[in-house]
Amino acid sequence: MTGLRYVYAVCRPFGTPLQSQLSGVAGDPPRALTHHGLVAVVSHVPERDFAEEPLHRHLEDLDWLTETARAHQGVIDALTTVTTPLPLRLGTVFRDDSGVRMMMEAREEDFQRTLDRLEGRVEWGVKVYAESEQRESARPAQKATSGRDYLRQRRMQTRSHEEMWQKAEHFSTRLHENLSAFAEDSRLHPPQNPALSKATGQNVLNAAYLVPRAHSEEFVELVDRTKGDAPGMRIELTGPWAAYSFAGEAT
């Protein structure tokens, strides 16, 4: 198959082959391109979709973007099971193998330094959602019998919301401190927009933790032990992922 070169990640040479049925973006199987002791995992993509102009148009197409992101992530996930990949940005494309090699040479020192730091480590994501507010608002509102009664109900609602937020802030802060103490590094991300994530509840903690792969089971147990500590709080644990949040400028 001819076409442009789509680059998923850069990593060190690895001995375990990827799944034979694995297909990448545009359906082409990924392959390893080795250069200067580094491996770029690449596949062919058609110029009609991935040249600069059509790619720019496609990035505005949510369906196309979702399908491409899913294929991209599938390759990264497969790589994460056999090595420590340094993921590149979605839609990283070069004209040919020579262009990929030139990119690897230009960024070789950064790649080597980042791979040294991330070797044998994975990323875990932890989100906390406050659900109390939603359950409260789901209750049928009692009809106020007077103006004074209406003001009393408003004060009670305001006080309930304030208490819920104080509890959520205290719980998420304590959880983040505990998990950060266990992990080698951590990142706080902005709360997710519920309209985009479709998750129920208010996202009050959205964090990533860099954990040695060998200690992942202990990290998962640490998170699991906190579940149920605070009624109305839902903890969501995802991973292990490639260390996107800790890869610096490479992503």
Side-chain angles (χ1 to χ4, degrees):
M1 180 178 180
T2 60
L4 306 177
R5 304 297 186 271
Y6 187 101
V7 188
Y8 301 88
V10 172
C11 53
R12 297 251 167 75
F14 51 95
T16 306
L18 295 174
Q19 307 158 20
S20 59
Q21 301 301 317
L22 182 65
S23 63
V25 172
D28 193 49
R31 62 184 174 87
L33 176 62
T34 302
H35 188 62
H36 282 204
L38 293 170
V39 172
V41 178
V42 306
S43 65
H44 294 85
V45 289
E47 189 166 353
R48 66 176 181 277
D49 290 322
F50 287 87
E52 184 175 353
E53 187 174 336
L55 177 60
H56 183 73
R57 287 199 308 271
H58 280 316
L59 291 176
E60 304 294 326
D61 181 339
L62 186 58
D63 290 338
W64 187 93
L65 189 60
T66 299
E67 182 181 353
T68 302
R70 187 178 294 120
H72 177 100
Q73 186 59 44
V75 174
I76 299 297
D77 288 345
L79 276 170
T80 305
T81 66
V82 300
T83 187
T84 300
L86 187 53
L88 301 192
R89 293 182 189 278
L90 182 78
T92 299
V93 176
F94 293 88
R95 171 63 57 184
D96 50 25
D97 286 354
S98 178
V100 179
R101 292 191 187 96
M102 290 176 64
M103 178 273 292
M104 295 169 75
E105 286 185 17
R107 301 174 62 181
E108 184 176 353
E109 288 187 10
D110 286 342
F111 286 147
Q112 294 285 9
R113 184 167 53 249
T114 305
L115 285 168
D116 284 342
R117 181 165 54 84
L118 300 180
E119 182 67 32
R121 294 161 177 82
V122 292
E123 176 176 329
W124 289 91
V126 175
K127 297 184 180 67
V128 175
Y129 296 90
E131 299 184 306
S132 301
E133 186 179 32
Q134 186 180 37
R135 282 204 288 267
E136 185 72 22
S137 63
R139 295 175 183 173
Q142 292 183 335
K143 186 176 181 180
T145 57
S146 65
R148 177 175 295 179
D149 189 38
Y150 172 78
L151 292 175
R152 182 185 61 80
Q153 288 186 23
R154 292 289 296 171
R155 284 197 298 271
M156 290 178 62
Q157 289 174 355
T158 300
R159 187 180 304 127
S160 175
H161 291 168
E162 289 175 351
E163 290 174 352
M164 185 276 292
W165 280 112
Q166 288 175 358
K167 184 173 70 172
E169 182 177 359
H170 175 74
F171 176 76
S172 59
T173 298
R174 183 165 53 88
L175 177 62
H176 179 60
E177 289 174 349
N178 291 339
L179 298 181
S180 296
F182 183 92
E184 291 190 354
D185 202 354
S186 62
R187 295 285 187 276
L188 282 172
H189 298 305
Q192 285 192 321
N193 184 334
L196 297 177
S197 67
K198 308 297 182 185
T200 59
Q202 187 71 35
N203 184 207
V204 293
L205 175 67
N206 182 14
Y209 301 91
L210 184 67
V211 178
R213 189 188 297 271
H215 295 162
S216 283
E217 187 173 339
E218 296 168 65
F219 183 82
V220 172
E221 290 175 356
L222 180 60
V223 175
D224 285 344
R225 283 200 296 271
T226 66
K227 293 180 178 177
D229 283 359
M233 301 294 142
R234 188 178 83 253
I235 302 175
E236 181 180 289
L237 172 69
T238 60
W241 306 107
Y244 282 99
S245 300
F246 306 91
E249 296 180 353
T251 56

